[in-house]
Amino acid sequence: MSSELIARGSAVLGAGGAVLLERGAWLLLALGLLALLLLLAGWVARRLSLMVWGIPEALLAGVLGLLLAPAGVLPWLPQPVMDIWAELPQVLLTLVFACLMLGKPLPTLAGLWRPVSGQVSLALVLAFGQYLVGGLVVLWILEPRLGVSPVMACLIEVAFEGGHGSAAAMGPSYAALGFPGGQALGLTLASAGLVASTLVGGLVVLLGRQRGWLSIDNAASLSALPRTGGLEPKPRPGASVWLVNLALSGCAVLVGLALLALLRLGGALVGGGVDTVVEDLPVFPFAILGSLLVRLLLERTGQAGRASAPVQTRLSTLSADLLITAATAGLDLALLRADWLPLSVLIGAGLVWNLAVVLLLAPRILPRDWFERAVIEFGQATGVAASGLVLLHMADPFDRSSALQAFSIKQLMLQPFLAGGVITVVAPLAVAGWGLATWTGLCLAMVLVFATTGMVLAGARPHLPA
């Protein structure tokens, strides 16, 4: 009898090991194909000078993957690869935020709020305004004419603010509320927002240069580089530096997982609906807190030099590129063809709102370097945080403005609530429970409050565009 049990156990272990080996092989193949697509897209982008037009290589790689997907023009990619790609966005987004604070010195608490108060106000107006315009569009146009779900009003914020990771994470919540297509539509909207953030954002940067809105004369800086030695090659970090920084990013993710586990434990103890909300929270909003705590520990122990800012930036950029490629390649084209009209309306409404806020409100509530601060916010609120960083690099290629630090602190303060945080999770529940009209009215009140607060805090320091 015991020998029979041992034989059965060995068979089970052997089958499990075979499954793990097969899964690992598919994972390596999926990651390898993503890397190959990025390399191919980079070659095409250089040959066609696509970066001049602000088209990111990752988006081009995703389009190439979409053509090779099972539903594409050349269905060469196997379905297990697509299944793995579908699971990657949330993991990669977590790594993006885990790298955010590790390479930068932590700001002092003294005088912290005043430099970022305008940034926070602007971000809150953008986010709640996306709920506002989404609600108005669904209430007045899409629901009475096309009979769409009221929960569709939440898609602009979850896709534009949160990107592919948030859209993927919110899919089960939408399905539970009777909106099963919410995840696929959110991913499609996130890809459209990514394209719009890059193309439209690039045009906004060009407009800012022509109108003199930038605080830095980039042409003068470029012409001065040869004299200052700015073009000298920088030493490349060694393999040990990469391993250490990858380990630090992993620690930040683990801290984020621990914080989320503690929050879920507390929610289970409290009950009363709190546990339902907390259970749906993804891990990536907490990765930025993990990044902060790991950085704090490094500084307190005198080991801050181990966190390399260039390496952390490259890790974050690579993760964002892989995320964009995988999510774009996995778009549901059939659903996109069926719901192209409501998606187009939502995309147009969200884009018009973001442009209006950035061009009309931002110069009135942001302090110095208003344009650089506004353009990074536009990129993040339309595409993803990486899109904002791309636009900031176009507007401020030498990192001489205060935009990046203000944006990072703002992300730390608001990320647990927006773009995949608590408010993103609660919004569809509020629409289903209170009704879309009530939720839209609340968002209107929030927009008015935060816009007024931002202008009051700005006082007599407006930076109005010429």
Side-chain angles (χ1 to χ4, degrees), residues 116-197:
V116 301
S117 59
Q119 200 82 26
V120 171
S121 299
L122 184 70
L124 289 170
V125 169
L126 281 167
F128 280 102
Q130 289 175 359
Y131 284 121
L132 171 62
V133 297
L136 293 176
V137 164
V138 171
L139 280 172
W140 292 349
I141 302 175
L142 299 181
E143 190 174 21
R145 294 182 179 273
L146 300 178
V148 303
S149 169
V151 181
M152 186 176 281
C154 301
L155 286 185
I156 299 179
E157 193 276 342
V158 73
F160 275 18
E161 282 276 349
H164 295 86
S166 297
M170 289 300 297
S173 298
Y174 292 149
L177 294 173
F179 186 33
Q183 182 178 39
L185 293 176
L187 289 172
T188 303
L189 198 65
S191 295
L194 185 61
V195 175
S197 68

Side-chain angles (χ1 to χ4, degrees), residues 31 68 118 165-166 186 214 216 246 253 267 273 296 302 340 350 384 404 409 422 437:
L31 293 176
L68 300 175
S166 297
L214 277 72
I216 300 169
L246 188 58
V253 173
L296 179 63
W340 67 270
V384 291
L404 185 58
I409 298 171
V422 175

Side-chain angles (χ1 to χ4, degrees), residues 440-454:
T440 303
L442 176 62
C443 291
L444 173 61
M446 293 294 99
V447 167
L448 294 176
V449 167
F450 293 125
T452 303
T453 302

Side-chain angles (χ1 to χ4, degrees), residues 2 50 68 88 108 164 171 192 208 219 263 268 274 289 293 337 355 359 371 379 402 419:
S2 59
L50 295 181
L68 300 175
L88 286 178
T108 58
H164 295 86
L263 186 60
V274 176
L289 295 176
L293 293 175
R337 286 191 294 267
L355 282 172
L359 295 179
F371 184 77
S402 57

Side-chain angles (χ1 to χ4, degrees), residues 105-109 292-305:
L106 294 179
T108 58
L109 293 178
L292 170 68
L293 293 175
V294 172
R295 178 71 197 191
L296 179 63
L297 178 62
L298 290 174
E299 291 188 0
R300 292 291 177 87
T301 57
Q303 301 294 318

